[in-house]
Amino acid sequence: MRTAVYPGSFDPITVGHIDIIDRLALHYDRLVVLVAHSLQKKDLYCFTVDERVELARKSLAQHSNVIVDKFSGLTVDYMRQNNIQVVVRGLRAVNDFEYEMSMASMNKKIAPEVETLLVFASPEYYYVSSRGIKEVAMNQGPLQGLVPQHVEVALRNKFSPVSSK
Ligand code: ADP
């Protein structure tokens, strides 16, 4: 069975992530969207790991071959435990490249059996990032077309002027 893992923070999942997943799901029997719970980044996440998993699951419910899981260690350890050899990452602009290249090289060093595939973002999603979306949400800006509707609701609740007081 051809399986790949697509790891990330997904804080929260965006239309950019979903585009990559829609495209990849066509080429794999099983695609694992792996929501990272890095203890180092714990205080930087906007949503808890379980909230991020839930938002991703709901966004991807139409895919019978996509599963959403969570993990708090190295992606390569998850891959070894689950016998997966392909990890996919999305590439937007040049600044993604440097980060992705060093991560792919590190993964190759510590787990030579792992292959990293980089997939270009569709041009219409180049500018979409979870970080940018949180900035917009924090300032009560429009989120339509950037995240699925239920994610928009979750962001509105998280950043509502009432709850942040
Ligand atoms: P991380 O915190 O690990 O960078 P993210 O959730 O921000 O996790 O992103 C997960 C993966 O999805 C990364 O490879 C990132 O480059 C990619 N990605 C994020 N946004 C987009 C987008 N708009 N189009 C394509 N790929 C994207």
Side-chain angles (χ1 to χ4, degrees):
M1 180 149 70
R2 286 168 313 157
T3 305
V5 63
Y6 178 41
S9 304
F10 303 102
D11 187 37
I13 192 164
T14 71
V15 291
H17 296 129
I18 293 169
D19 173 58
I20 296 277
I21 295 162
D22 287 345
R23 289 159 56 201
L24 281 169
L26 300 174
H27 301 284
Y28 286 91
D29 299 313
R30 200 165 55 110
L31 179 64
V32 181
V33 174
L34 190 61
V35 179
H37 180 51
S38 156
L39 295 176
Q40 256 175 323
K41 288 196 198 165
K42 191 166 63 74
D43 299 327
L44 301 176
Y45 295 125
C46 163
F47 293 99
T48 67
V49 67
D50 291 325
E51 287 171 333
R52 288 180 279 132
V53 165
E54 213 32 59
L55 292 173
R57 281 207 180 121
K58 206 166 166 187
S59 309
L60 302 168
Q62 75 280 18
H63 288 291
S64 57
N65 61 337
V66 174
I67 64 163
V68 182
D69 203 356
K70 61 181 175 181
F71 194 62
S72 70
L74 295 173
T75 301
V76 295
D77 286 339
Y78 178 91
M79 294 171 73
R80 280 182 171 156
Q81 286 164 22
N82 292 279
N83 195 25
I84 304 171
Q85 281 84 40
V86 175
V87 56
V88 180
R89 297 279 293 175
L91 262 194
R92 285 160 296 187
V94 190
N95 48 337
D96 274 349
F97 180 82
E98 261 188 48
Y99 177 70
E100 296 299 341
M101 191 175 77
S102 66
M103 197 156 65
S105 308
M106 178 63 86
N107 282 342
K108 198 71 186 162
K109 179 77 185 162
I110 62 176
E113 76 281 11
V114 163
E115 213 48 75
T116 301
L117 300 187
L118 296 177
V119 178
F120 283 112
S122 298
E124 61 270 40
Y125 301 125
Y126 269 162
Y127 66 93
V128 177
S129 69
S130 298
R131 184 210 278 237
I133 285 167
K134 282 180 279 192
E135 189 75 32
V136 173
M138 215 175 280
N139 292 287
Q140 280 74 52
L143 294 168
Q144 218 187 2
L146 296 170
V147 289
Q149 237 237 303
H150 64 279
V151 177
E152 181 174 344
V153 171
L155 281 163
R156 293 274 173 244
N157 289 336
K158 195 64 85 175
F159 293 115
S160 82
V162 177
S163 68
S164 61
K165 267 182 195 154

